[in-house]
Amino acid sequence: MVWLILLVLLLPGALAQQLREQIRKYTLDNGLRVLMVPDKTAPVIHFNLMFDVGGVDEAPGLGGIAHMVEHMAFKGTPTIGSLDWTKEKAALEAVDKARADLDRAIASRAAQEEIQRLTAAYNQAREEAKKLALPNAIDQLFTNNGEQGLNASTGYDRTDYRVSLPSNRLELYLRVYADVMLNAVFRSFYEEADVVLEERRQRSENDPNGALSEVFLRTAFQVHPYGRPLIGSREEIQGYRVDRAMAFWKTHYHPNRAVLVLVGDVEPERDIQLVRRYMGAIPRGPARPNLNIPAEPPQAAERRATLEYNAQPSLLIGFHKPTYPNRDAYVMDMIDSILTEGRTSRLFRRLVIQEQAALNVSSSSASPGFRYPNMFTISAQPRAPRTTADLERFIYEELERLKNEPVGSQELQKVRNQTRAAYLRVLQGGPGLAQTLAFYELFFGGYQRIFEEEAIYNTITAEEIQQAARRYFTPQNRTVATLVTRGGSR
Amino acid sequence: MKALWSLLIGLLTLSLAQGVPADWPDPFKMQFQRIQPSAIQPTRVQLSNGLTVLLIEDRTLPFVNGRIYLRAGAIFEPEDKVGLSGIFSSVMRTGGAGERTPDQIDETLETLAASVSVSTDNLFTSVAFSTLTENLDPVLQIWADILVRPRFSQERLDLEKGRALEAIRRRNDQPTQIAVREFVRRINEGHPAGRISSVASVQSITRDDLVAFHQRFFKPNVAVLAVTGDFNTQEMVARLERVLQGWQRGEVTLPSFPPPSPKPSIYFVQKETNQSVIYMGNPTVTAYAPGYSELDLVSRVLGDGFNSRLFTEVRTKRGLAYATGGAQTQGFGWPGFFYGASISRVEKTAEVIELMLAQFRDLRERPVSQEELELFRNNILNAEVFRFTSRQAVAERIARTQMLGLSADYYEQYVRQIQAATPADLQRVMQQYVRPEQFVIVVVGDRRQFDKPLSSLGNLIEVPLE
């Protein structure tokens, strides 16, 4: 969700100029773009390696494979994490063969004893492979060297790998990630698929917000992959096989589809030599394949979904809208702030303070992704004895107000000030800035785009806000998902 | 689309590796110097009313940030008013201050894109501000009014009480939230840190309670303010003298409490869910007692990150959990605790509990390898440079150190102990302070799906959900 905030940020002139002059961009022969931002506050470097690959790139039935591959890219290479690569390679191939034999036997409804025998052989093969591996070797290297924030995340549109290290570990970082891009080994694959299944339980099944969000997206997007759960369904996760995951990796994760950002104690002209030595060794891959992702057809009538769940009630409302660079996407960012940014925002004031009907209310102007037309969403939790129906009524009244009355100049100015200050705050944090730059470089046709957005927001008029509200906040363009307490009346 | 996919898979073989260029170094043999961070020292000033101020100028961005700490922690709430400090900090910020109504404060701050926030934990209440330099004067005035002259509007108190009651209604929605709450409550039993709010305790809170809490703890001579950013130190001190004029010294006496006395048991909460949330541990020592540094180090071997024992055994080898780990918490004033946790598949609940217990026992019975010790020691020492990446974080850390009465070289002592620790030291503190047979174990899960009844693992106490 960090992305959603970043998009509405603005940068005032002098600072923008200063930052702009500091940023160095290089493009290697293999297409990898490298951005460096010197910042001498402390002898550390914040790294962000981002690929334009995510959930939308998955074939049907392979839901969540981008996320699974994100996990697997931490499993090392032949030279990082293997005790004897020749033997381990053979052992990993034996695991795959044993798994394939078992799958075939199950599919052909073989005798119970046969399945038991093959299951035992498969488990035995996994044990043999494990004996030849040093698990989590990448983490071990970075831990030894004082890492902070080693992590990765997968979205519908992108995947990024991040870590911060003391600045003299630059070569270690490059040695490790270049090797991963060249030679990733998906060891302990089936154990990790079990881990992902637990992650799915934790985030999407046992968390009421996660569960409601899945129902909401499924209802709102009936054709486009934004409607599929990013982590995959349970059945899909159980069906992951190493060859299909490896095929996804080899199809998509290439230097020409990635941006590497370094923020911190760097000297660009010197450090780019080291970057070239390692990252330059990775061959260019194919361009993003055309997967013919179908467009979501315009919605014709309101859609509603209910989730019965062992939790207190909750409400999620969404409206389809265009994405950037369509001007309306920026207009909807302004509406997002007007509705829920701060205690004086319209929905907070109305629902939480005046009506005392909600515990909280929030909104997002670009959910759940950015590459394709997305949604404006509003989420709220009623305060007993008020109900989600009460909240819907108040929210729709406020949306009508946006359509019928122009926003005052003072309110408009407040929203501009808020976005401006928020942007400056992002510049204070190294990892946040690294991520923002990677994102703009990958999805907005260049990081420079950051410096052009203030002008767009500053020219948005009260009339445009009114028009956008009328265009998108209509009942037929609306999807409503409600969490209803199981066995309860609300 | 399907056709495209089978084509791709058909073309790609399982040739996983092409190797790396021959001149690339072995990453495990790469050597790097440990970077010794150059410590930033704030300027220290005492205002005429006794307030200590720590200042660090930083002209890189046009911002000023500040945070003042007061010993007005949740543990000092009256026993029958648990939840007071949370409501206090909300209404202090939202209930109006000085000459301004609640709406005027919100409107002014949001128009200036500035923030003033009040937050409370067990130890401190802190009041922070963040503003663009150009708006420093009006924001500093509002911050000072909220700090010294809060109005605690009755209307906003009622609003926050209502929201707190709704939060209580919702606090059993997530299994992890239940487990953390019950664990903290049980492991701190007998100490105020283990209390949790109730509908009755929240309902009983009045405006007079807020005023009394403010009068009792908010005195400049026992507070420390950290300010960083785009300002001139002398001018800032003059500004602070001006906005805090009239805030008078006073005596603050803090009660002391006996340490927690938890009752070892398995505390079980029935919840329909397909994972069990498991927490286990016992109280150990304060963060300034002998043995703390070694406990911190061995707790990382147990539960910090991908190469820790819990992660390796529960997640990597067996795929039983996505989230698992453990730590030694920092105890200031009363002992911290040493714990492990897992969110694991429900039909393996007992197996995971036993597996976790075995990790604690092993650390008592056998010394860790020198290699394992070095991994986590190196992490602590090499990560030291990250303590200085933000000036505001540096100033706030020093402010807290002073408030807690720790010696100025508290952290340096910790580092020296980390550098000196041996496998035998880690085993010694494990044997001395960590006692699996006396653990508080909290399990939230669905008993109908457990692999074994929890009563077979120890004394079982069922905790009903309110």
Side-chain angles (χ1 to χ4, degrees):
Chain A
M1 287 293 139
V2 173
W3 304 115
L4 312 186
I5 303 161
L6 300 185
L7 278 173
V8 290
L9 306 177
L10 311 173
L11 195 56
L15 265 155
Q17 194 54 34
Q18 201 184 326
L19 181 69
R20 203 171 192 169
E21 282 165 12
Q22 281 174 338
I23 299 175
R24 288 285 172 277
K25 178 179 169 180
Y26 305 88
T27 304
L28 307 195
D29 291 342
N30 59 15
L32 179 72
R33 286 161 280 174
V34 182
L35 300 179
M36 294 200 216
V37 189
D39 168 8
K40 303 288 177 188
T41 312
V44 304
I45 302 175
H46 309 286
F47 297 91
N48 194 297
L49 176 61
M50 188 179 288
F51 295 88
D52 68 344
V53 187
V56 296
D57 299 296
E58 294 160 353
L62 272 184
I65 200 73
H67 169 255
M68 178 68 187
V69 162
E70 172 222 303
H71 277 234
M72 295 318 296
F74 278 103
K75 294 294 180 182
T77 69
T79 53
I80 303 174
S82 191
L83 301 175
D84 180 334
W85 175 239
T86 311
K87 284 187 187 160
E88 193 196 5
K89 185 169 187 278
L92 288 171
E93 283 165 358
V95 170
D96 286 328
K97 183 176 176 307
R99 178 76 194 215
D101 292 345
L102 176 60
D103 285 349
R104 250 193 314 277
I106 292 170
S108 65
R109 304 188 180 196
Q112 202 52 42
E113 303 92 72
E114 177 68 356
I115 289 178
Q116 274 173 6
R117 189 185 64 80
L118 291 172
T119 304
Y122 164 62
N123 288 333
Q124 177 66 27
R126 281 163 62 179
E127 291 307 315
E128 292 302 319
K130 272 193 242 177
K131 284 181 201 159
L132 297 161
L134 181 66
N136 300 320
I138 290 179
D139 179 89
Q140 188 177 322
L141 280 168
F142 286 147
T143 298
N144 233 321
N145 284 284
E147 62 84 11
Q148 295 276 290
L150 177 66
N151 215 333
S153 77
T154 307
Y156 281 96
D157 306 323
R158 51 89 212 167
T159 303
D160 73 324
Y161 294 86
R162 35 187 198 263
V163 67
S164 302
L165 290 166
S167 54
N168 59 349
R169 269 70 168 183
L170 172 64
E171 187 171 2
L172 175 74
Y173 175 91
L174 296 168
R175 167 65 181 82
V176 169
Y177 272 98
D179 196 0
V180 168
M181 287 182 71
L182 274 168
N183 305 307
V185 172
F186 286 4
R187 47 174 67 94
S188 301
F189 183 87
Y190 297 102
E191 288 77 2
E192 198 65 25
D194 285 344
V195 169
V196 169
L197 205 55
E198 292 308 305
E199 185 177 359
R200 175 178 168 77
R201 289 189 172 122
Q202 190 179 325
R203 293 191 165 169
S204 305
E205 297 174 17
N206 298 322
D207 180 326
N209 303 323
L212 184 64
S213 167
E214 268 195 15
V215 170
F216 171 78
L217 289 175
R218 192 166 62 222
T219 310
F221 292 95
Q222 301 191 332
V223 172
H224 192 272
Y226 280 166
R228 302 192 305 225
L230 193 51
I231 197 168
S233 69
R234 231 191 253 210
E235 294 68 30
E236 284 169 321
I237 295 168
Q238 282 164 338
Y240 291 161
R241 297 294 176 266
V242 70
D243 55 348
R244 300 199 120 204
M246 189 45 90
F248 190 83
W249 171 259
K250 296 210 164 181
T251 304
H252 292 289
Y253 296 77
H254 299 296
N256 40 310
R257 294 182 59 186
V259 174
L260 172 63
V261 184
L262 291 73
V263 172
D265 185 13
V266 290
E267 281 181 33
E269 294 307 317
R270 179 195 68 194
D271 293 338
I272 191 63
Q273 305 306 325
L274 214 49
V275 175
R276 281 186 208 283
R277 177 176 172 209
Y278 289 97
M279 301 312 251
I282 309 159
R284 176 187 284 271
R288 188 166 188 261
N290 181 7
L291 297 176
N292 295 317
I293 292 168
E296 184 69 24
Q299 198 169 319
E302 185 193 54
R303 294 177 192 156
R304 300 190 76 91
T306 302
L307 173 70
E308 275 197 42
Y309 199 92
N310 183 15
Q312 297 300 312
S314 190
L315 173 69
L316 194 47
I317 302 170
F319 301 90
H320 290 279
K321 57 167 270 291
T323 189
Y324 314 96
N326 188 308
R327 189 170 166 90
D328 274 356
Y330 296 94
V331 180
M332 295 302 273
D333 288 342
M334 302 282 277
I335 291 180
D336 182 23
S337 296
I338 291 168
L339 289 180
T340 61
E341 178 68 39
R343 296 181 58 86
T344 62
S345 62
R346 292 182 175 194
L347 285 179
F348 188 89
R349 186 141 41 186
R350 178 82 193 274
L351 271 63
V352 178
I353 299 180
Q354 287 172 3
E355 308 285 351
Q356 310 212 354
L359 174 63
N360 250 321
V361 59
S362 61
S363 62
S364 155
S365 53
S367 180
F370 296 90
R371 196 199 285 277
Y372 300 96
N374 49 26
M375 297 203 102
F376 187 98
T377 58
I378 300 168
S379 148
Q381 297 76 43
R383 238 181 87 179
R386 305 311 275 273
T387 64
T388 55
D390 294 333
L391 296 188
E392 271 193 82
R393 188 157 45 84
F394 297 136
I395 289 168
Y396 300 152
E397 281 174 19
E398 287 302 322
L399 298 185
E400 285 305 309
R401 216 181 114 205
L402 270 179
K403 297 181 193 174
N404 300 329
E405 297 167 22
V407 177
S409 60
Q410 213 179 332
E411 195 175 3
L412 210 51
Q413 192 54 47
K414 179 184 79 183
V415 170
R416 290 194 184 125
N417 293 350
Q418 284 172 339
T419 50
R420 186 166 178 260
Y423 199 85
L424 282 169
R425 293 199 164 87
V426 169
L427 298 187
Q428 292 179 311
L433 179 58
Q435 205 174 31
T436 309
L437 288 171
F439 184 74
Y440 273 80
E441 180 61 29
L442 214 49
F443 292 100
F444 287 77
Y447 70 90
Q448 295 92 339
R449 182 80 183 173
I450 293 178
F451 307 105
E452 294 158 15
E453 287 192 342
E454 180 169 22
I456 301 177
Y457 289 110
N458 280 341
T459 56
I460 287 170
T461 64
E463 197 183 15
E464 281 180 291
I465 288 172
Q466 216 171 336
Q467 283 166 355
R470 287 180 186 156
R471 199 169 302 138
Y472 304 111
F473 294 146
T474 64
Q476 63 269 25
N477 187 35
R478 186 162 75 206
T479 301
V480 183
T482 313
L483 188 153
V484 177
T485 305
R486 190 180 295 149
S489 55
R490 269 186 291 279
Chain B
M1 184 114 94
K2 266 195 171 155
L4 173 66
W5 272 90
S6 28
L7 181 68
L8 285 170
I9 290 158
L11 289 173
L12 292 158
T13 65
L14 268 177
S15 70
L16 298 173
Q18 297 124 19
V20 294
D23 63 339
W24 284 15
D26 177 348
F28 288 92
K29 292 186 178 142
M30 292 171 86
Q31 296 288 325
F32 305 96
Q33 292 273 312
R34 179 180 157 208
I35 300 179
Q36 299 273 7
S38 48
I40 303 160
Q41 280 306 324
T43 305
R44 181 182 297 265
V45 173
Q46 197 157 55
L47 300 191
S48 54
N49 61 11
L51 175 67
T52 301
V53 187
L54 308 173
L55 306 103
I56 306 177
E57 290 182 25
D58 176 7
R59 306 303 185 106
T60 48
L61 288 169
F63 272 117
V64 183
N65 295 305
R67 184 182 291 275
I68 187 168
Y69 291 90
L70 297 120
R71 281 306 288 271
I75 60 168
F76 303 124
E77 295 169 344
E79 214 170 328
D80 56 345
K81 307 244 176 200
V82 179
L84 174 92
S85 61
I87 291 186
F88 170 85
S89 54
S90 296
V91 184
M92 192 169 166
R93 162 64 184 81
T94 63
E99 304 301 312
R100 291 180 177 86
T101 65
D103 284 338
Q104 284 168 339
I105 288 180
D106 290 340
E107 198 62 54
T108 309
L109 289 176
E110 289 183 13
T111 302
L112 300 177
S115 75
V116 173
S117 60
V118 185
S119 53
T120 306
D121 60 21
N122 269 327
L123 295 166
F124 304 121
T125 294
S126 68
V127 187
F129 68 88
S130 176
T131 177
L132 290 165
T133 311
E134 63 200 60
N135 302 323
L136 177 61
D137 280 325
V139 173
L140 205 57
Q141 186 60 56
I142 291 175
W143 168 80
D145 283 343
I146 286 173
L147 174 68
V148 183
R149 295 170 282 276
R151 283 159 56 162
F152 297 118
S153 117
Q154 183 65 46
E155 197 185 310
R156 295 303 162 105
L157 169 60
D158 293 339
L159 174 65
E160 292 308 326
K161 279 170 69 174
R163 293 179 81 195
L165 292 171
E166 181 60 37
I168 289 177
R169 286 173 61 85
R170 291 174 176 271
R171 71 182 172 195
N172 295 330
D173 284 0
Q174 290 176 332
T176 315
Q177 197 188 359
I178 300 170
V180 170
R181 182 181 73 231
E182 289 302 323
F183 184 67
V184 169
R185 175 187 186 177
R186 302 294 169 178
I187 207 152
N188 285 313
E189 197 155 331
H191 188 275
R195 298 185 305 209
I196 60 166
S197 63
S198 65
V199 170
S201 74
V202 168
Q203 272 170 344
S204 76
I205 294 165
T206 65
R207 185 175 177 280
D208 286 348
D209 295 326
L210 306 190
V211 172
F213 198 76
H214 185 255
Q215 283 178 347
R216 183 173 165 204
F217 296 111
F218 279 66
K219 305 294 178 196
N221 46 307
V222 292
V224 180
L225 166 65
V227 199
T228 56
D230 180 22
F231 57 78
N232 168 285
T233 296
Q234 280 191 327
E235 284 170 21
M236 177 57 78
V237 170
R239 276 192 170 95
L240 289 168
E241 285 282 8
R242 199 165 60 240
V243 297
L244 295 176
Q245 213 174 23
W247 190 25
Q248 296 190 353
R249 298 166 186 269
E251 186 95 0
V252 178
T253 47
L254 298 176
S256 58
F257 307 100
S261 49
K263 300 177 185 64
S265 267
I266 301 173
Y267 296 91
F268 167 65
V269 181
Q270 167 63 27
K271 175 99 178 159
E272 271 179 53
T273 158
N274 56 26
Q275 284 181 316
S276 290
V277 189
I278 302 160
Y279 274 78
M280 58 176 67
N282 63 230
T284 52
V285 296
T286 62
Y288 31 81
Y292 166 78
S293 304
E294 293 80 2
L295 278 169
D296 180 47
L297 190 48
V298 71
S299 80
R300 294 172 191 241
V301 176
L302 175 82
D304 183 20
F306 284 57
N307 280 280
S308 69
R309 293 195 178 183
L310 283 175
F311 198 97
T312 303
E313 295 301 324
V314 178
R315 177 170 154 161
T316 308
K317 284 194 190 165
R318 295 176 181 81
L320 291 170
Y322 170 64
T324 182
Q328 162 69 43
T329 67
Q330 279 189 304
F332 294 110
W334 66 99
F337 50 85
F338 193 99
Y339 77 101
S342 288
I343 306 178
S344 294
R345 64 177 66 176
V346 66
E347 70 277 10
K348 304 272 189 182
T349 302
E351 184 182 327
V352 171
I353 293 172
E354 285 173 330
L355 188 58
M356 290 172 70
L357 285 169
Q359 304 314 310
F360 288 94
R361 289 197 190 102
D362 190 72
L363 286 169
R364 286 169 53 92
E365 286 156 15
R366 292 189 306 145
V368 302
S369 71
Q370 191 68 38
E371 195 188 5
E372 209 175 1
L373 168 60
E374 295 307 338
L375 176 66
F376 291 95
R377 184 190 347 249
N378 286 341
N379 182 251
I380 294 172
L381 299 178
N382 284 322
E384 248 196 291
V385 283
F386 289 97
R387 288 168 50 80
F388 299 93
T389 48
S390 143
R391 289 185 162 73
Q392 184 62 16
V394 170
E396 290 183 5
R397 197 164 56 229
I398 295 171
R400 283 195 302 271
T401 302
Q402 174 161 343
M403 289 294 292
L404 291 164
L406 305 177
S407 64
D409 67 341
Y410 168 78
Y411 188 77
E412 286 66 29
Q413 286 178 30
Y414 163 83
V415 167
R416 277 197 294 278
Q417 285 157 1
I418 294 293
Q419 282 175 309
T422 65
D425 291 329
L426 302 199
Q427 191 178 8
R428 174 179 50 77
V429 294
M430 280 302 292
Q431 290 179 351
Q432 203 171 347
Y433 299 112
V434 182
R435 301 186 176 85
E437 68 285 357
Q438 287 179 33
F439 272 3
V440 166
I441 301 177
V442 168
V443 181
V444 179
D446 187 356
R447 85 171 107 216
R448 293 169 305 178
Q449 302 180 63
F450 289 167
D451 44 345
K452 264 204 261 182
L454 296 183
S455 54
S456 68
L457 303 175
N459 179 42
L460 187 69
I461 296 177
E462 178 150 3
V463 181
L465 281 182
E466 291 150 20

